[in-house]
C-alpha cells in the first residue's frame, strides 16, 4: 500500500469495522434462516392447496431478501476494511500491535544476552558449535 492509502485508512482508526462486520453477519444469518423457514412453511401450505409458491410471492419476502443482500455486502465490505485498517496500523507502528521486549532481561529473551545485536547468523552458529563447527 502506498502512503496515501495508509493515511486514508488511518483516518478511520476509531471506526469499529469488526463490530459492524459481526452485526451484519448476524443479520445475514437470521434473514437467511427466516427466508428458508418462510419458504418451507409456505410451500407446505401451497402443496396442500395445489398451488405454487415462489421466493418473491409476498412483500415481506422481498424485503427480507433485500435486507439479506445489503447485509451481505456490508459484511464483506466491513471485513475488507477491518483487514486493511489493521494492516495500515501495523505499517504505521501502532504500539497496540507490537510487544516490546527488553533485550537485557534474560527472562524476556532466549536466555542469552548478546553484546552485538547485528551479528551475522553464520558467525553465531560457529560460536555455538552449530553447522560450521
Amino acid at each position: 500500500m502506498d502512503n496515501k492509502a495508509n493515511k486514508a485508512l488511518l483516518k478511520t482508526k476509531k471506526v469499529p469495522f469488526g463490530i459492524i462486520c459481526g452485526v451484519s453477519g448476524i443479520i445475514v444469518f437470521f434473514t437467511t434462516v427466516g427466508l428458508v423457514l418462510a419458504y418451507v412453511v409456505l410451500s407446505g401450505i401451497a402443496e396442500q392447496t395445489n398451488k405454487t409458491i415462489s421466493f418473491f410471492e409476498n412483500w415481506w419476502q422481498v424485503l427480507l431478501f433485500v435486507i439479506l443482500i445489503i447485509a451481505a455486502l456490508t459484511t464483506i465490505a466491513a471485513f475488507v476494511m477491518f483487514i486493511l485498517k489493521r494492516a495500515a496500523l501495523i505499517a504505521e507502528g501502532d504500539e497496540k500491535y507490537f510487544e516490546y521486549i527488553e533485550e537485557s532481561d534474560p527472562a524476556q529473551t532466549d536466555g542469552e544476552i548478546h553484546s552485538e545485536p547485528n551479528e551475522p547468523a553464520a558467525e553465531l552458529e560457529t560460536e555455538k558449535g552449530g553447522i560450521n563447527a
Side-chain angles (χ1 to χ4, degrees):
M1 259 191 274
D2 61 346
N3 198 15
K4 217 180 223 185
N6 275 350
K7 285 182 181 179
L9 284 172
L10 290 175
K11 288 181 182 177
T12 64
K13 196 173 188 178
K14 301 258 185 209
V15 178
F17 287 114
I19 294 172
I20 293 169
C21 180
V23 168
S24 59
I26 291 170
I27 292 170
V28 166
F29 175 76
F30 284 111
T31 54
T32 304
V33 168
L35 275 174
V36 170
L37 286 177
Y39 184 75
V40 168
V41 169
L42 290 176
S43 67
I45 294 171
E47 185 178 318
Q48 294 296 323
T49 58
N50 292 329
K51 292 185 179 178
T52 58
I53 189 85
S54 73
F55 245 139
F56 305 110
E57 185 103 6
N58 299 316
W59 65 269
W60 53 269
Q61 287 176 303
V62 174
L63 180 66
L64 276 176
F65 184 74
V66 168
I67 291 171
L68 173 69
I69 296 299
I70 291 171
L73 292 175
T74 303
T75 302
I76 293 168
F79 186 65
V80 168
M81 287 301 294
F82 176 77
I83 291 172
L84 291 176
K85 182 179 84 168
R86 178 164 239 174
L89 288 172
I90 290 172
E92 181 194 39
D94 194 353
E95 293 178 10
K96 179 180 176 183
Y97 299 100
F98 293 98
E99 180 181 337
Y100 292 102
I101 297 175
E102 181 66 39
E103 290 292 331
S104 63
D105 185 8
Q108 293 184 358
T109 60
D110 57 359
E112 298 180 19
I113 299 174
H114 302 287
S115 58
E116 296 179 21
N118 295 329
E119 195 172 348
E123 293 175 13
L124 283 175
E125 288 295 327
T126 56
E127 288 178 8
K128 293 181 181 178
I131 299 171
N132 296 331

